[in-house]
């Protein structure tokens, strides 16, 4: 990509808007960069966006279609016995640019392999196709092969199994333009699926010196009984949208980098790839055949920018319409530019032809997609008609055909849960629904994944989806002083741009998994817990084709003192897909002394093409008891706390602790334990978090509109009380409110100081006033501790970040971290992150014997623990909120540790491009109460 080699003006990122003056079919002549390349060889797998080819100074041909291959016949131009000069002029823009408006970086160059192909004889292979057709019982099959020759000849066909043993053979003679057709019966072939990717080897020989080979998978794809079926069985798509992107090379992706992507997918239980939004590197499909993926192969076609044009013509009344109704108007108008314009018929059909011709031999490809976000018109119908005439063995997808009049399935992007459930319960629907894009993985998140997966298995008509997207598309760059970061739209002087909307993957830009992928893996696990009762629990097999016989199970126990010993547990043999089995808990696992969790690890028994034996594919935790009781230190010799008042503060002493409370702010400004200071930033109630990408468009917008970012605590009154049990209470009447507006959270905070040295916070709050926020980011307290406090230990979910709607991948256990920086999730666009939820207790210490322990309790039962959230970092919420890149935030890093302790925390959802968090995970602005014990 020449913009990444130091040429041109740098890459451009836009999602929808065209980065050029819109006047189709004319491409801009001014500001249209070209690149003069050095001599290269000849089959072009991908060139962006168009090019002319010369051989020895003679113009050969022109080609466009950036992600489609092209071959040039150059026999008449090549000189024998000497040097030849191949020259290629590449154009940044052409008229094809109008239908290559995908959500990705706009970069230019010869970005895929280039070959010189030689044919030694007048008679040679021109093309061949393979189909595997099963009988009605899906037992025996026919191998149907069609071969096209240049010239006349006899072709020998042989099929070998995976062990290179010959299965069948046949010969056929034809030529002069006639196709050779083989139809060979194969008895009980091994079936190819994404779970069992068994490949045969096909050889086609023309004489003694011309042989072509290809791997063949026996599988049959159908729309049957209103469902997508492979080999007669319903499948569930557990997929990912994968762009071709490398953080240094752009769309020039090294083979090993691409292979590692697919290995990561398999090890995270992903079974499907959508080649968004164009055909991928041709080598990917060989890997998909071998490892086992369902592939939706997508044509290189998108013209989303015309929607911006159409939207600009709407009247004020039309612009005030609900979003989806407004879209109906704009999409119909936008389609008239190209998709429903007969002048673009050949350009559209060509994209389908190129797609199918190139990838038709791959068993992993089970459906063709006609592109993305190109509205809907006659040219899509023509594409579908051509594909069905040429390849009736696969299904056809295109999301904008909302009623599935032509396509083989309904498709949606980012639907609400109630929308897909309503579809599934609609008896009039005769075709299934897939979600070609869902659970938008931008920034911290996504949340609410499990709910979608549960719906896919509850309703047969819902057949899964592809997460958006696989990897963030940041480009590695540097600041002027040499600090590296991953740049997004606008970081390269590109205008217009869509900012960080390109950073929305379950992998970071360096293709390392983030919390979103770990949570996605958990939701996709092939073994799931259905229920537990007494000494038994029930599991379900969520494979589509295989039993659980290929897995081993190891059990262990988890308590707040750590993980105990365990052993092996037998999995019922022959448990079929979708079936459940009741299992008995090991007697040694059951404990009545404290909270105990039975942990079950399911691992591969044998090596596979993508991992070794022993790899964990699923982990289940079965709770064996409720939460343990709240624990507090007992007073040693001390019988009462002492209180000293001044005009500006109150000093309270109890046990090993001495507290100082500021009368003006109502904050704990000092806490000395054994003469070691614990407080580096005053302890106060707090309610704001730096909005995540998934917050910003919906709940986060409401928070900022209600000025939560400017909120602070104001103390209005203080009362003192000494109790008979030796404790003392300080009750604070407070208001948390923002600048500008008049609403507030009216707080009553009672601080109870104990002779044991513990501090009890009891807070009640009531939202009052006008223009209240609909939800709150969090309800809790924030304080700072000196820099020496680096060691953290907690019993709860971990070790990585978790939120109330993104937590199932983080098992309950005892976790320890020696450096606060190790808790930081480091998002590529600074935002709230690194939260831990479902915490039972948390401790932070300085490594020299002094620490602070936190627990929450239920105000209705002060002896019962209450689950809580915490976040510990070196970053203030204001600094996180105001930073746009990690290096900016790093420059604001605090020396002290900032600790956030929350009784409740708002969910994440997928609101950056989809539904916000579900109601059950939303923190509504309503009266609240919580209790916190620190010691």
């Amino acid at each position: 990509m020449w913009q990444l080699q130091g040429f041109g003006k740098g890459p451009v990122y836009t999602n929808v808007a065209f980065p050029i003056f819109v006047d189709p079919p004319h491409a801009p002549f001014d500001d249209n960069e070209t690149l003069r390349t050095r001599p290269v060889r000849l089959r072009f797998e991908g060139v962006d966006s168009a090019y002319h080819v010369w051989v020895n100074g003679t113009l050969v041909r022109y080609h466009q279609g950036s992600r489609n291959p092209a071959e040039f016949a150059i026999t008449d131009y090549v000189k024998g016995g000497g040097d030849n000069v191949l020259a290629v002029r590449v154009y940044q823009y052409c008229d094809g640019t109008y239908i290559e408006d995908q959500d990705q970086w706009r970069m230019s160059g010869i970005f895929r392999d280039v070959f010189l192909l030689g044919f030694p004889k007048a008679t040679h292979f021109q093309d061949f196709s393979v189909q595997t057709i099963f009988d009605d019982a899906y037992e025996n099959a026919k191998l149907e092969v069609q071969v096209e020759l240049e010239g006349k000849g006899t072709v020998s066909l042989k099929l070998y199994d995976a062990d290179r043993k010959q299965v069948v053979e046949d010969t056929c003679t034809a030529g002069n333009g006639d196709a050779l057709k083989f139809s060979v019966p194969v008895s009980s072939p091994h079936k190819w699926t994404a779970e069992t990717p068994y490949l045969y080897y096909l050889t086609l020989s023309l004489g003694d010196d011309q042989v072509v080979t290809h791997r063949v998978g026996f599988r049959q794809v159908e729309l049957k009984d209103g469902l997508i079926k492979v080999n007669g069985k319903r499948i569930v798509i557990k997929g990912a949208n994968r762009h071709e992107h490398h953080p240094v090379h752009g769309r020039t992706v090294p083979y090993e980098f691409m292979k590692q992507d697919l290995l990561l997918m398999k090890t995270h239980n992903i079974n499907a790839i959508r080649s968004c939004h164009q055909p991928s590197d041709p080598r990917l499909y060989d890997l998909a055949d071998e490892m086992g993926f369902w592939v939706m192969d997508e044509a290189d076609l998108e013209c989303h920018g015309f929607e911006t044009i159409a939207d600009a013509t709407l009247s004020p009344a039309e612009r005030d319409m609900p979003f989806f109704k407004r879209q109906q108007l704009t999409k119909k108008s936008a389609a008239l530019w190209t998709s429903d314009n007969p002048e673009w018929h050949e350009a559209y059909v060509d994209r389908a032809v190129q797609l199918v011709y190139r990838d038709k031999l791959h068993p992993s490809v089970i459906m063709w997609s006609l592109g993305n976000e190109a509205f809907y018109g006659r040219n899509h119908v023509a594409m579908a008609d051509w594909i069905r005439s040429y390849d009736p063995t696969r299904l056809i997808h295109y999301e904008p055909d909302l009623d599935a009049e032509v396509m083989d399935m309904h498709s949606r992007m980012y639907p609400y849960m109630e929308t897909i459930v309503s579809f599934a319960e609609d008896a009039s629907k005769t075709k299934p629904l897939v979600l070609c894009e869902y659970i938008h993985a931008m920034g911290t998140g996504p949340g609410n994944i499990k709910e979608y997966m549960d719906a896919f298995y509850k309703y047969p008509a819902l057949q899964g989806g592809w997460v958006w997207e696989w990897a963030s598309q940041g480009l590695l760059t540097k600041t002027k002083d040499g600090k590296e970061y991953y740049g997004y739209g606008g970081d390269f002087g590109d205008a217009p741009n869509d900012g960080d909307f390109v950073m929305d993957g379950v992998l970071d830009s360096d293709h390392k998994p983030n919390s979103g992928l770990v949570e996605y893996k958990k939701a996709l696990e092939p073994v799931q817990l259905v229920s537990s009762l007494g000494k038994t629990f029930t599991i379900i097999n969520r494979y589509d084709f295989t039993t659980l016989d290929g897995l081993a199970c190891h059990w262990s126990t988890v308590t707040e003192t750590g993980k105990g010993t365990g052993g092996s547990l037998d999995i019922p043999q022959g448990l079929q897909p979708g079936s459940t089995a009741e299992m008995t808990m090991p007697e040694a696992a059951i404990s009545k002394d404290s909270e105990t969790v039975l942990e079950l690890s399911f691992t591969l028994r044998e090596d596979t093409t993508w991992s070794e034996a022993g790899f964990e594919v699923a982990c289940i935790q079965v709770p064996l008891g409720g939460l343990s009781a709240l624990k507090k230190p007992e007073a040693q010799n001390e019988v009462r706390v002492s209180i000293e008042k001044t005009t500006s503060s109150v000093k309270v002493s109890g046990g090993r602790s001495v507290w100082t409370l500021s009368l003006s702010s109502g904050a704990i400004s000092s806490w000395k334990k054994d003469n070691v200071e614990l407080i580096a930033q005053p302890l106060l109630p707090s309610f704001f978090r730096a909005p995540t990408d998934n917050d910003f468009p919906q709940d986060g917008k409401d928070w900022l509109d209600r000025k939560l970012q400017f909120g602070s605590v104001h103390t209005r009154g203080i009362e003192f009380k000494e109790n008979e049990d030796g404790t003392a209470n300080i009750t604070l009447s407070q208001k948390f409110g923002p600048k500008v507006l008049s609403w507030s959270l009216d707080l009553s905070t009672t601080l109870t100081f104990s002779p044991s040295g513990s501090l009890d916070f009891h807070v009640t709050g009531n939202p009052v006033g006008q223009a209240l926020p609909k939800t709150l980011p969090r309800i809790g307290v924030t304080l700072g501790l000196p820099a020496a406090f680096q060691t953290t230990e907690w019993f709860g979910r971990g070790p990585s970040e978790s939120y109330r709607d993104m937590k199932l991948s983080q098992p309950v256990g005892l976790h320890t971290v020696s450096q606060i920086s190790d808790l930081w999730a480091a998002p590529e666009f600074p935002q709230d992150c690194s939260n831990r939820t479902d915490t039972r207790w948390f401790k932070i210490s300085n490594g020299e014997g002094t620490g602070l322990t936190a627990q929450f309790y239920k105000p209705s039962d002060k002896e019962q623990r209450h689950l809580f959230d915490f976040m510990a970092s070196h970053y203030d919420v204001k600094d996180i909120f105001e930073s746009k890149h990690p290096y900016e935030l790093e420059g604001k890093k605090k020396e002290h540790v900032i600790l956030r302790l929350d009784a409740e925390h708002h969910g994440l959802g997928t609101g950056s491009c989809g539904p916000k968090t579900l109601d059950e995970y939303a923190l509504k602005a309503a009266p609240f109460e919580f209790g916190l014990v620190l010691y």
Side-chain angles (χ1 to χ4, degrees):
M1 315 306 300
W2 76 59
Q3 289 88 352
L4 301 182
Q5 305 299 318
F7 301 96
K9 297 180 180 180
V12 177
Y13 168 60
T14 70
N15 171 17
V16 177
F18 291 112
I20 59 174
F21 170 63
V22 179
D23 185 24
H26 306 290
F29 291 110
D30 57 330
D31 199 30
N32 189 359
E33 301 169 11
T34 65
L35 180 68
R36 300 180 185 277
T37 67
R38 61 185 181 181
V40 291
R41 300 181 188 176
L42 260 196
R43 173 180 165 106
F44 294 87
E45 294 289 358
V47 181
D48 192 326
S49 71
Y51 54 108
H52 277 100
V53 175
W54 289 262
V55 174
N56 294 323
T58 302
L59 178 63
V60 177
R61 243 183 94 189
Y62 167 87
H63 182 266
Q64 66 185 52
S66 297
R67 272 69 71 173
N68 293 324
E71 289 185 18
F72 300 91
I74 60 170
T75 305
D76 296 339
Y77 306 97
V78 175
K79 298 183 298 186
D83 292 338
N84 290 268
V85 177
L86 174 64
V88 184
R89 179 195 287 163
V90 182
Y91 304 96
Q92 184 180 19
Y93 300 123
C94 66
D95 62 335
T97 299
Y98 289 106
I99 56 174
E100 293 179 3
D101 185 38
Q102 291 95 342
D103 176 11
Q104 61 188 18
W105 288 101
R106 315 305 169 92
M107 293 181 284
S108 323
I110 302 171
F111 65 94
R112 287 185 185 157
D113 286 343
V114 184
F115 301 94
L116 180 67
L117 303 176
F119 300 93
K121 293 186 177 182
T123 298
H124 57 261
F125 291 103
Q126 186 73 7
D127 193 13
F128 69 98
S129 303
V130 176
Q131 296 180 6
T132 56
I133 311 298
F134 278 93
D135 59 21
D136 291 343
Y138 302 96
E139 177 62 30
N140 301 313
K142 287 184 180 180
L143 175 66
E144 296 191 347
V145 180
Q146 181 168 304
V147 181
E148 296 177 23
L149 296 179
E150 181 73 22
K152 184 177 181 179
T154 298
V155 174
S156 173
L157 175 153
K158 293 182 180 180
L159 185 72
Y160 301 86
D161 65 17
D163 296 322
R164 308 304 198 274
K165 295 179 181 178
Q166 184 174 307
V167 178
V168 295
E169 66 175 323
D170 198 5
T171 58
C172 188
T173 301
N176 298 325
D178 296 331
L180 292 83
K181 296 183 179 180
F182 295 87
S183 183
V184 184
V186 180
S187 178
S188 300
H190 295 278
K191 299 182 182 73
W192 188 98
T193 72
E195 296 169 7
T196 57
Y198 189 97
L199 292 170
Y200 290 82
Y201 294 84
L202 173 70
T203 67
L204 298 170
S205 304
L206 184 61
D208 295 329
D209 57 358
Q210 289 193 55
V211 180
V212 294
T213 67
H214 206 276
R215 295 184 294 185
V216 173
F218 280 81
R219 61 102 183 95
Q220 186 163 309
V221 185
E222 302 166 284
L223 179 63
K224 187 175 182 180
D225 303 322
L227 300 174
I228 300 167
K229 293 188 175 183
V230 178
N231 304 334
K233 294 186 177 182
R234 172 185 179 263
I235 64 170
V236 176
I237 300 294
K238 305 173 183 178
N241 280 277
R242 181 186 177 275
H243 269 292
E244 292 274 291
H245 180 79
H246 186 276
V248 175
H249 309 301
R251 280 197 297 282
T252 301
V253 180
Y255 175 79
E256 290 300 327
F257 191 84
M258 174 180 64
K259 183 176 180 180
Q260 181 61 24
D261 270 0
L262 270 62
L263 288 171
L264 278 173
M265 288 183 183
K266 290 297 289 190
T267 55
H268 287 81
N269 295 323
I270 290 172
N271 70 2
I273 301 170
R274 181 185 180 211
S275 67
C276 65
H277 294 299
Q278 57 262 323
S280 292
D281 184 320
R283 299 172 295 181
L284 176 141
Y285 302 85
D286 290 328
L287 291 171
D289 294 343
E290 178 181 323
M291 294 183 192
F293 287 98
W294 311 120
V295 175
M296 178 198 282
D297 207 8
E298 193 150 86
D300 186 11
L301 199 159
E302 180 170 340
C303 57
H304 202 178
F306 292 124
E307 186 171 4
T308 302
I309 308 298
D311 198 62
T313 66
L314 295 178
S315 68
E318 289 170 332
R319 291 188 183 186
D320 288 339
M321 296 171 63
F323 176 74
F324 291 106
K325 286 189 176 181
R326 191 176 79 237
Q327 267 199 330
Q328 292 177 354
L329 294 177
T330 56
K331 287 185 175 182
K332 185 175 181 180
S333 175
L336 297 176
W337 287 89
T338 57
S339 296
D340 206 32
N341 183 344
E343 295 181 4
W344 287 77
H345 172 92
E346 292 299 330
Y348 273 59
V349 173
D350 178 67
R351 302 283 167 139
V353 171
Q354 297 285 351
L355 172 76
V356 176
Y357 273 0
R358 198 197 72 168
D359 297 334
K360 62 186 177 181
L361 294 176
H362 293 281
S364 56
V365 178
I366 63 168
M367 59 183 76
W368 307 112
S369 178
L370 306 186
N372 181 70
E373 293 178 324
F375 323 111
Y376 188 57
R378 69 186 72 193
N379 296 331
H380 292 108
V381 177
M383 293 172 75
D385 288 345
W386 182 87
I387 291 176
R388 287 198 173 96
S389 70
Y390 185 82
D391 178 30
T393 67
R394 293 178 173 92
L395 305 183
I396 302 177
H397 164 276
Y398 184 59
E399 181 263 341
D401 181 9
L402 296 179
D403 295 323
E405 294 177 348
V406 175
M407 306 308 139
D408 292 312
M409 65 205 74
H410 297 265
S411 182
R412 296 290 185 274
M413 295 182 180
Y414 314 110
Y416 289 84
M417 283 297 305
E418 54 265 33
T419 300
I420 66 173
V421 171
S422 177
F423 176 97
E425 293 176 345
D426 185 348
S428 70
K429 303 298 185 184
T430 60
K431 295 178 181 179
L433 173 67
V434 297
L435 309 184
C436 63
E437 297 176 19
Y438 81 128
I439 50 176
H440 198 256
M442 188 174 180
T444 306
N448 310 144
I449 300 175
K450 181 181 186 297
E451 286 77 9
Y452 283 99
M453 290 306 305
D454 288 346
F456 298 158
Y457 281 97
K458 181 177 180 179
Y459 299 101
L462 307 180
Q463 292 200 245
W466 294 260
V467 62
W468 187 268
E469 67 175 305
W470 175 240
S472 293
Q473 297 180 57
L475 290 169
L476 186 63
T477 188
K478 293 182 179 180
T479 63
K480 291 181 180 179
D481 58 356
K483 294 178 181 177
E484 288 190 338
Y485 68 100
Y486 290 98
Y488 49 77
D491 284 337
F492 302 91
D494 48 318
N497 69 77
D498 283 314
D500 70 323
F501 203 63
V502 76
M503 313 289 270
D504 50 7
V506 292
L507 299 184
D508 291 337
S509 296
D510 58 4
H511 282 230
K512 292 179 181 177
N514 60 39
S515 302
L517 181 59
V518 178
E519 186 75 5
Y520 195 38
K521 174 186 178 179
K522 180 66 181 176
L524 305 182
E525 284 180 343
V527 189
Q528 300 269 340
L529 178 68
V530 176
S531 62
S532 62
L533 181 64
K535 295 184 178 182
T536 65
F537 60 94
T538 301
I539 62 170
I540 189 169
N541 175 5
R542 279 192 168 174
Y543 282 121
D544 290 332
F545 293 90
T546 61
T547 68
L548 301 183
D549 294 355
L551 302 180
C553 179
H554 182 272
W555 69 269
S556 58
T557 56
V558 177
T559 67
E560 58 185 302
T561 60
K563 184 174 288 191
T565 58
S568 297
L569 197 63
D570 291 335
I571 304 172
Q573 293 292 296
L575 187 64
Q576 294 298 311
S579 298
T580 61
E582 186 175 271
M583 300 177 67
T584 302
M585 296 179 189
E587 193 66 32
I590 300 174
S591 170
K592 298 179 181 179
D593 297 332
S594 62
E595 181 183 3
T596 305
V597 176
L598 172 65
E599 185 167 286
L600 304 167
S601 174
F602 295 86
T603 59
L604 296 175
R605 287 187 180 275
E606 298 178 354
D607 293 350
T608 68
T609 56
W610 48 270
S611 192
E612 297 179 348
F615 177 80
E616 184 178 87
V617 298
C619 180
I620 290 175
Q621 286 197 323
V622 184
L624 301 183
L627 298 178
S628 299
L630 189 74
K631 295 180 180 179
K632 295 182 181 180
E634 295 183 0
Q636 300 293 327
N637 301 322
E638 304 287 342
V639 293
R640 304 191 70 81
V641 299
S642 64
I643 299 176
E644 299 177 29
K645 301 176 185 178
T646 70
T647 56
S648 61
S649 65
V650 177
K651 183 178 179 181
V652 182
S653 301
R656 299 157 55 197
S657 295
V658 179
W659 301 271
T660 301
L661 182 138
S662 167
L663 293 177
S664 60
S665 67
I668 299 291
S669 58
S670 174
W671 182 347
K672 291 183 178 179
K673 183 185 287 188
D674 297 329
N675 292 318
V676 176
E677 180 62 69
L678 302 183
I679 300 293
Q681 176 181 313
L683 190 162
L684 276 170
S686 54
F687 304 91
F688 185 60
R689 75 182 187 198
T692 68
D693 285 313
N694 283 314
D695 290 333
F696 264 114
Q698 300 184 59
D699 290 320
K701 182 178 185 299
D702 182 55
W703 300 337
L704 300 184
D705 287 346
R706 306 307 180 214
K707 311 302 181 185
L708 259 165
Q709 68 274 30
F710 301 126
S712 59
V713 175
H714 306 272
T715 300
R716 295 290 183 255
I718 302 179
E719 296 180 358
F720 301 89
K721 182 182 179 183
E722 296 186 33
N723 303 309
E724 293 183 359
D725 61 359
T727 64
N729 295 344
I730 298 179
T731 299
L732 306 170
S733 176
Q734 298 174 314
K735 284 181 177 286
F736 172 89
K739 299 177 181 178
V740 181
L741 301 178
S742 63
W743 68 266
S744 67
L745 303 176
D746 285 2
L747 307 175
S748 177
T749 304
T750 300
L751 309 180
T752 301
F753 301 89
S754 169
S756 68
S758 68
L759 174 59
D760 184 317
F761 273 76
H762 181 197
V763 181
T764 61
N766 187 37
V768 297
Q770 297 176 328
L772 279 164
K774 298 181 181 68
T775 61
L776 296 175
R778 40 183 289 268
I779 295 173
V781 301
T782 300
L783 69 152
L785 296 100
F789 285 74
Q790 291 290 313
T791 301
T792 59
E793 186 178 31
W794 73 97
F795 182 50
R797 292 195 180 272
S800 298
E801 66 179 352
S802 58
Y803 290 74
R804 66 198 304 180
D805 62 352
M806 188 191 75
K807 66 181 183 180
L808 300 180
S809 61
Q810 301 304 309
V812 173
L814 179 65
H815 307 285
T816 302
V817 171
S818 60
Q819 294 292 321
I820 292 297
S821 58
D822 292 337
L823 293 169
W824 185 245
E828 294 175 305
F829 186 96
Q831 58 196 278
D832 195 90
C833 66
S834 306
N835 188 74
R836 269 78 177 170
T837 195
D838 287 355
T839 311
R840 280 70 167 166
W841 55 260
F842 169 84
K843 182 177 181 179
I844 184 168
S845 60
N846 63 1
E848 296 181 359
T850 302
L852 181 68
T853 299
Q855 297 174 88
F856 279 73
Y857 61 86
K858 295 181 179 180
S860 60
D861 183 359
K862 292 188 177 182
E863 302 303 317
Q864 180 64 51
R865 279 179 181 166
H866 179 65
L867 302 179
F868 67 95
D869 293 50
F870 79 89
M871 192 265 268
S873 75
H874 287 285
Y875 304 108
D876 181 80
V877 64
K878 179 177 180 289
D879 295 333
I880 299 172
F881 175 52
E882 293 178 350
S883 299
K884 305 304 179 186
H885 295 91
Y887 71 83
E888 297 172 21
L889 181 59
E890 189 66 21
K892 303 173 183 177
K893 184 176 181 180
K894 308 297 183 187
E895 183 177 350
H896 64 271
V897 176
I898 298 173
L899 175 61
R900 190 175 74 189
L901 300 167
D902 293 336
E904 300 288 347
H905 203 103
H906 189 69
L908 296 170
T910 62
S912 53
C913 189
K916 61 183 181 180
T917 192
L918 297 174
D919 273 354
E920 57 261 43
Y921 305 122
L923 181 52
K924 302 294 180 63
F928 59 85
E929 184 178 11
F930 69 85
L932 165 64
V933 174
L934 298 171
Y935 59 88

